[in-house]
Amino acid sequence: MSFQNFLSPNPNDKFLWVRFGALGDVLEALTCAFLVKQKFPDVRMSFLTTPPYVGIVKSQPYIDDVICGEKSPVAEMMKTAALLREKKYDWIGSTFKGSHMPFLSFFGGVKNRLGSSKYFPFIDTCNVYKWANANGIDLNDRLQPSIFPTDENVSFAEDLFLTFKDRKKIFVVSGASTEQKMWPVDNWIDFLRPLVSDGWLPIMNGYGQREERIVNQILDGIGVNNGLNLVGKLDYLKMAAVVRECDAAIGNDTGPLHMAALSGVPTVGIFDYVQPIEVGYNMPWLVCAVGREKPLQTFYAKRRSQSILTEIKPSVVRMKFDSLTKEF
C-alpha cells in the first residue's frame, strides 16, 4: 500500500458516500459520512442513495448534497456512473462489500476510491477502513448521536405528544423484514403490560399490513388505550423526530431500531445472535438481549429462527431495560 493511498482530502474536495438501502444500512452509512465530515469539516459531503431515503439523508445537517441512483441492472448503474463523472467527485467511500461499488467508483471517474470489496479490492485505491484509521477516524465509532430531526418535524412530534407530556414514552419497534427477526407477540404483551402499569406509554411504530396486525394484537393484549398506534403514519423524517421525543426505545433488528439508537435514545435491541460491531449496535446507551451468545456469522444466519427469539424471556428484557433507563 503506497503512501498516497492514505492521503487526506483537501478543503472543498467533493466527497461522495454511497449506500443504496435498506433504511438501517443507509442510517449507518450516514454515520460514517458524519464521522468523515467531523474530521474534515471543509469537504463538500454528498451522499448517493435511492429515492426512499433521499428525504432523511437530505435532512442531515452534515450532508451538503444528495443524488439519486441505482446499482442494478447494469444499464442503470452505468447511468449512475455517468452522473458521478458529471459531478466530478474527488473521493468516493462505502463500507458495502458488494461487487457493484468498485465498478461504480471506477466508471464514475473518481480518483480516490475507498471501498471494502470482497472480490474486486484491486479496483479500490484503498480499503475504506484502513484509510479511515490512517486519518484518525474509527468508522465503527458510535459514541455520539448522528441522526438528527429537523425543526419542523420536532414541532410535529411535540404537538403529537402534547396530551402525553407527563407520560414516559417508549418507542416500540415490533416488526422486522422477516419473521425470524421478530420477538413473538406474546412476549411483547408480557413485557409491555407491566411497563404500562408503571406509567410508560408505548409508541407503536411500523408500516405495512403485517406490522399493523402485529401492533393491533399487542394493543389488544395490553389495552388499546394504553398505547399510541403510529403504524403507517410516519415517514422517516417524522420518525426521526418522534423517536427523539421518546424517553427510551426497544425493538427487533430493523431500520427503525437503528434510527432510535443512532438518535441517542436509550435503546434495547432484541437479537437472536450477538451482532458484529460493523452492524453499528455499539452505542453506550444501547443494551442487547440475545438468544444465543454467539456471533452472527453466515453459518448461524442460515439457521436463523424465531424460536431462538422466543427463548428471550420478557423478565430478562425488563431487567436490561430498567438498568439502561436508570443509567441514562
Side-chain angles (χ1 to χ4, degrees):
M1 189 70 66
S2 67
F3 175 75
Q4 73 176 50
N5 289 322
F6 295 125
L7 288 175
S8 303
N10 296 313
N12 299 316
D13 270 3
K14 297 173 72 175
F15 205 122
L16 178 69
W17 205 270
V18 181
R19 190 72 194 207
F20 293 98
L23 176 62
D25 295 328
V26 170
L27 296 177
E28 294 293 344
L30 266 172
T31 301
C32 292
F34 168 74
L35 293 168
V36 172
K37 181 76 170 182
Q38 266 197 326
K39 180 69 175 182
F40 303 109
D42 295 326
V43 303
R44 182 168 177 79
M45 180 60 72
S46 299
F47 201 99
L48 168 61
T49 190
T50 46
Y53 311 107
V54 167
I56 187 64
V57 172
K58 196 173 185 179
S59 71
Q60 298 310 300
Y62 47 89
I63 297 297
D64 299 300
D65 185 38
V66 183
I67 62 172
C68 259
E70 297 287 350
K71 62 181 178 180
S72 62
V74 173
E76 290 299 317
M77 186 184 76
M78 294 309 292
K79 286 182 185 177
T80 304
L83 183 59
L84 267 56
R85 287 198 301 275
E86 181 184 322
K87 296 272 188 179
K88 297 181 179 178
Y89 291 104
D90 302 293
W91 299 81
I92 187 170
S94 178
T95 57
F96 185 65
K97 294 178 172 60
S99 302
H100 69 272
M101 266 311 304
F103 290 102
L104 178 65
S105 303
F106 179 78
F107 289 115
V110 186
K111 180 182 177 182
N112 300 291
R113 303 183 295 276
L114 312 174
S116 56
S117 172
K118 183 177 179 180
Y119 299 107
F120 303 99
F122 51 88
I123 299 179
D124 298 327
T125 55
C126 189
N127 176 275
V128 66
Y129 291 103
K130 290 182 179 178
W131 175 87
N133 288 338
N135 281 281
I137 304 168
D138 178 4
L139 293 178
N140 296 315
D141 177 5
R142 300 293 182 269
L143 294 177
Q144 55 188 313
S146 57
I147 302 299
F148 307 97
T150 64
D151 291 341
E152 177 187 356
N153 286 294
V154 167
S155 295
F156 162 82
E158 289 174 344
D159 290 343
L160 180 69
F161 291 144
L162 204 53
T163 56
F164 307 107
K165 60 182 180 180
D166 296 326
R167 298 282 300 276
K168 297 176 290 183
K169 294 173 282 294
I170 178 171
F171 185 81
V172 179
V173 184
S174 55
S177 56
T178 63
E179 220 173 72
Q180 289 87 345
K181 297 164 84 174
M182 293 184 189
W183 205 32
V185 168
D186 288 344
N187 292 40
W188 278 113
I189 293 170
D190 290 343
F191 170 76
L192 289 173
R193 192 184 287 133
L195 212 62
V196 167
S197 298
D198 291 342
W200 285 86
L201 176 71
I203 309 300
M204 309 303 295
N205 177 71
Y207 52 90
Q209 291 183 344
R210 180 179 64 176
E211 295 189 16
E212 189 171 359
R213 281 197 308 273
I214 291 170
V215 166
N216 285 335
Q217 288 177 313
I218 294 171
L219 289 175
D220 284 344
I222 67 172
V224 173
N225 296 323
N226 288 327
L228 182 61
N229 187 351
L230 297 180
V231 175
K233 297 178 181 177
L234 302 176
D235 59 24
Y236 296 144
L237 280 83
K238 285 185 172 66
M239 186 189 297
V242 165
V243 74
R244 280 291 288 266
E245 289 297 308
C246 291
D247 301 281
I250 183 169
N252 303 315
D253 180 18
T254 189
L257 187 74
H258 286 271
M259 176 85 77
L262 291 170
S263 296
V265 177
T267 300
V268 179
I270 303 173
F271 309 114
D272 45 0
Y273 294 103
V274 176
Q275 304 293 301
I277 192 171
E278 292 84 4
V279 171
Y281 289 126
N282 56 319
M283 304 82 175
W285 54 84
L286 179 137
V287 296
C288 300
V290 295
R292 295 284 189 275
E293 291 288 346
K294 296 178 181 178
L296 177 59
Q297 297 171 333
T298 303
F299 176 81
Y300 296 117
K302 289 179 180 177
R303 292 158 177 79
R304 300 185 83 168
S305 168
Q306 193 183 44
S307 63
I308 297 174
L309 290 172
T310 305
E311 298 170 14
I312 304 174
K313 298 187 181 304
S315 57
V316 172
V317 178
R318 180 61 193 262
M319 264 195 320
K320 289 179 177 289
F321 177 81
D322 287 344
S323 174
L324 178 71
T325 52
K326 189 177 293 184
E327 183 178 356
F328 294 92

